[in-house]
Amino acid sequence: MSLIVHKYGGTSVGSVERIKAVAEKIVAKHRAGDKIVVAVSAMSGETNRLIGLAKAIHEEPNLREMDVLVSTGEQVTIALLCMALEAAGVSARSYTGSQVRILTDDAHGKARIKEIDSHRIHSDLDAGRVVVVAGFQGADDAGNITTLGRGGSDTTAVALAAALKADECQIYTDVDGVYTTDPRVVADARRLDKITFEEMLEMASQGSKILQIRSVEFAGKYNVPLRVMSSFEDGPGTLISLEDDDQMEKPVVSGIAFNRDEAKLTIRGIPDQPGVAYKVLGAISEANIEIDVIVQNVAKDNSATITFTVHRNDLARASKLLEQIAADLGAEEVASDDRIVKVSIVGVGMRSHAGVAATMFEALAAEGINIQLITTSEIKITVVIEERYLELAVRSLHSAFGLEQ
Amino acid sequence: MSLIVHKYGGTSVGSVERIKAVAEKIVAKHRAGDKIVVAVSAMSGETNRLIGLAKAIHEEPNLREMDVLVSTGEQVTIALLCMALEAAGVSARSYTGSQVRILTDDAHGKARIKEIDSHRIHSDLDAGRVVVVAGFQGADDAGNITTLGRGGSDTTAVALAAALKADECQIYTDVDGVYTTDPRVVADARRLDKITFEEMLEMASQGSKILQIRSVEFAGKYNVPLRVMSSFEDGPGTLISLEDDDQMEKPVVSGIAFNRDEAKLTIRGIPDQPGVAYKVLGAISEANIEIDVIVQNVAKDNSATITFTVHRNDLARASKLLEQIAADLGAEEVASDDRIVKVSIVGVGMRSHAGVAATMFEALAAEGINIQLITTSEIKITVVIEERYLELAVRSLHSAFGLEQ
């Protein structure tokens, strides 16, 4: 008998009909002998409806009250799903985050889970019940309702799986697994049977939006096998787990991720002295602008050039700030470009294979694609290129690394 | 400095605009120096929307889950109202029933309050905050969410006032007070400045729907002065409190209540023996049919006649049951009539005034209205008459007891 945590997102429980369909899926697995704990999101659209009400009252609503408000979304889903399970003949019980209790810190809207009391859940499972837990929420020491931030239901599911020592955490989504790259860009993109936590983390942080980064980190930290599956079709999905040492032939590259949401900023001709990078990037970070790729080079004249990317929505603000910093430092020039994209190849096999970067650059060169920036990590190589070459680049890399096979 | 509990119903908080208006009202009173605790209902329509979702999943949804579901309605309101209070510059904090904690028994859907922990509320009030509490809900010993049944927000407000030893509990509604009778029936019906708990209880149980009966009982039991006021206009409303012994001139009759929702059943020619009333009415009660007026008479031949009223929705079922009982007892006849109404005059002054009944019967006789049943209590006389005479009866009684002055 396995203990499995399921997680269903907003689209999967977006209507009464879909909730009934989810209940049927759960009942079938329950009857097959699994002990099942389910984490659910709010019905799709509900969180936005609630935020809309709040914004109509106050531009910047009180964060504590915002959590009281939006946490009702998942509370509605847990009750409806339990009713549907009972209608299908399976005994079920719902718990809000506070009821479980999922103890978090008090950072409203972006709380972190500190501890989960698994006592009530275990005794319900032992009594033959399916347990349904509201995702995305918890309570702090004082009993105030907190939320983990949007998309936090994945994290709830993984944290529950870790606390309950579950055999697997299954994330049901609108896709049937993790693909080598976006099938909308590359027609012969292939579903991966397995991928490591590290690879998934790099894929996610590079723009693949199937799973929340925090939930993958969490799963890796507590070694919770994670499986991405379709809510609507049967299939094995993609298993995300620790690196499997028995696997003789590791693929060099597992997947290709890309991101169209970023813009590039460059500051040139700054004196190459210690502390310069901090002066430039510290000021940007302090303005709460998230910086992604960072590349620093030194020119012939010993002046430094720093290039970095930010979200396109932050470009105007970052650009203004950078002009000011440039004036303060006596830098030569500031340039910005929002017609760029980031493309990454990801694979644990890179660690033991030489020549991966060369293959990548060769494939791009063959298509006449100019590389503006390069950064590398142990299991990832990222390039920034002109936006119009995105599809061409992804397709040529997909084929260069044989991902369609 | 007074401690006042306010209660706003679903219509008063039915939209973002209304919530803002309620916040302004509260802020004005807070600035004037009152310590304020607010109990609120779900936004109008929300509870029905949630029930609709549940019914689409299961005809008879699990009661525990139903409470998890519908309790989100008030949770949305408390968050939005706190945001609106903060927007208006007043510090506020919301609490669900579980958070307060309002401890109830475990009768889901119709729970009764056992205890209220006033600790957190008092410390918030001392810190200058307005406290907003979700009406209609609590939690049982095990932390399961419970609801007090529909309209239970009035009860929450009164229970909070009792627990906090508040100076007054103000129920804000869509009417500006308690009237001598329904102004839609009698144009010169008059708002009452004061009324006693007992009178209000009789008015409520006779069909006046301004306040929930349980909340009035509760207020009387703990002697919490209750004031019915308008959410939309300023005004003193109607104060409901203990009988005021200083008041020299008590009005004989305070108000006239009526009820069009009942139907009458009669069983004739049953042997007048001990236990007969029980045999008849016990069987009806056991079928979960609520019985209101009961009258028993003995005819010349020593056979008994029992007449009673039930809700019109229960008439068919009650009638069928009664036929069976009549057969068992060897009774002569069963008759039913759903074209009747109940009209009551209510007033604590009746205790010390003779001739009130005579005045009532005289007024009805003068209009040619036949009285079918009469029952009396210490502060109330109820008659059942033909439905078509309802308006005429109420108007003539209103005038006969000088209520328009």
Side-chain angles (χ1 to χ4, degrees), chain A residues 20 49 56-58 62 64-66 68 71-72 75 79 82-84 86-87 93-94 99 120 142-144, chain B residues 20 49 56-58 62 64-66 68 71 75-76 79 82-84 86-87 93-94 99 120 142-145:
Chain A
K20 286 180 181 172
R49 182 184 77 87
I57 282 180
H58 197 306
N62 180 291
R64 179 188 184 278
E65 300 306 332
M66 201 64 188
V68 173
S71 63
T72 61
Q75 190 171 328
C82 281
M83 291 172 189
E86 300 254 348
R93 189 156 287 181
S94 75
Q99 284 178 317
R120 289 181 83 172
N144 296 305
Chain B
K20 286 180 181 173
R49 182 183 76 87
I57 284 180
H58 199 306
N62 179 290
R64 178 188 185 277
E65 301 306 332
M66 202 64 189
V68 172
S71 62
Q75 190 171 328
V76 166
C82 281
M83 290 173 189
E86 300 254 345
R93 189 157 287 182
S94 75
Q99 285 179 315
R120 288 182 84 171
N144 296 304
I145 296 169

Side-chain angles (χ1 to χ4, degrees), chain A residues 23 39 42 62 73 92-93 106 146 170 177 183 236 242 270 310 314 323 334 366 368:
Chain A
N62 180 291
R93 189 156 287 181
D106 60 1
T146 55
Q170 299 179 343
L242 282 182
I270 37 176
V310 297
D314 293 326
E323 294 280 3
V334 165

